[in-house]
Amino acid sequence: MIEWVGFDGDDTLWHSEGYYQDAHAQFEEIVGRYVDLANLRLHDRLLAVERRNIKLFGYGAKGMTLSLLEAAIEVTGSRISAADLHRIIGIGKQVLAHPVKLLPGIREAVEAVAATHRVVLITKGDLFHQEQKVAACGLADLFHRIEIVSEKDERSYRRLLDEFGVGAERFAMVGNSLRSDIAPVVELGGWGIYMPYHVTWAHEADTDFAAASPRVAQVSDAGGIAAALAELGLRAAA
């Protein structure tokens, strides 16, 4: 029997990745004044910088901004001007200041699940920025616990489940990332409700985990979450 349900934040409760994609587009426009983007494979080089910096800077807009600065200096051979570096800092500030817009129907979905289960918000990223988004989303009062973690892996979920006092077999996670929302929970013996977002950061898409797992239900939007949870509950009881 599933008793606890976790919800991811970014691109599950509220829109997020689109702002980062816009930031990357602005970054390419700036760097494109110095180098030939067609031959540079800028996307791949930026992703490589971001990946090697995650352990140092963590996830979120601040880490992204530092990686954008590093990548700009690297790919231009240090020719980029101080003025354009300042513009890149401004891009990061825009992401940090973006409005919090809920996905359609998500409030109703969380309310429906909260009527029958204990619900928790589990999100990762910069603590200050995530706290701001949680405060602005208008959903905080629906959750029994709000957890902001630096990484969403088996170790983090195991720690949280121990704190909740619930076994993985009685826990389901709702999220848009197979890599960080679904796979770790299923590997621990839990359940997943996968709700893909229309755009996904390449780092989050880098996983061999298959959504076709019998411990996962996939939905196209928030309106399908309650029914998917009921279906997983039947599978858990079988």
Side-chain angles (χ1 to χ4, degrees):
M1 179 179 180
I2 298 172
E3 299 176 358
W4 287 67
V5 179
F7 283 83
D8 170 50
D10 293 339
D11 299 321
T12 298
L13 298 182
W14 52 73
H15 296 282
S16 176
E17 181 59 24
Y19 298 108
Y20 288 85
Q21 295 289 327
D22 289 344
H24 286 177
Q26 294 179 60
F27 170 76
E28 289 188 4
E29 180 183 349
I30 293 172
V31 173
R33 300 173 184 175
Y34 297 86
V35 295
D36 183 358
L37 295 179
N39 297 325
L40 188 62
R41 297 182 64 195
L42 183 60
H43 174 78
D44 292 339
R45 294 185 67 174
L46 175 57
L47 180 61
V49 172
E50 290 178 320
R51 279 177 166 160
R52 72 175 183 241
N53 283 340
I54 285 174
K55 291 183 179 180
L56 292 173
F57 303 147
Y59 296 92
K62 294 175 185 175
M64 177 205 70
T65 303
L66 291 170
S67 290
L68 291 180
L69 291 169
E70 181 178 340
I73 294 168
E74 180 181 298
V75 301
T76 64
S78 301
R79 291 183 294 112
I80 190 167
S81 69
D84 280 334
L85 291 176
H86 192 263
R87 289 184 63 198
I88 292 173
I89 292 174
I91 292 171
K93 288 182 177 180
Q94 290 174 15
V95 176
L96 285 168
H98 73 71
V100 177
K101 296 182 179 179
L102 296 180
L103 270 66
I106 197 64
R107 168 174 277 279
E108 294 78 7
V110 177
E111 289 175 338
V113 174
T116 54
H117 298 73
R118 295 182 69 84
V119 293
V120 293
L121 170 56
I122 305 175
T123 186
K124 72 179 179 184
D126 176 77
L127 177 62
F128 185 66
H129 192 202
Q130 293 301 99
E131 284 180 337
Q132 287 180 318
K133 288 190 279 189
V134 170
C137 76
L139 301 176
D141 60 308
L142 299 177
F143 294 99
H144 293 88
R145 292 274 296 264
I146 295 173
E147 301 289 341
I148 301 172
V149 297
S150 58
E151 184 59 274
K152 291 165 80 173
D153 53 16
E154 288 186 39
R155 180 179 179 182
S156 294
Y157 283 111
R158 185 181 295 109
R159 175 182 62 81
L160 291 175
L161 293 175
D162 286 345
E163 290 182 8
F164 301 159
V166 61
E169 72 281 358
R170 293 184 287 127
F171 177 79
M173 184 70 187
V174 182
N176 69 294
S177 171
L178 287 173
R179 183 181 188 275
S180 64
D181 297 323
I182 308 301
V185 172
V186 171
E187 291 299 324
L188 289 173
W191 306 84
I193 298 177
Y194 175 46
M195 186 173 71
Y197 192 67
H198 67 274
V199 59
T200 303
W201 182 30
H203 178 73
E204 289 296 336
D206 184 16
T207 178
D208 295 328
F209 184 84
S213 165
R215 303 189 76 85
V216 178
Q218 182 169 333
V219 298
S220 59
D221 55 43
I225 292 175
L229 181 61
E231 170 60 27
L232 290 180
L234 292 175
R235 296 181 196 176

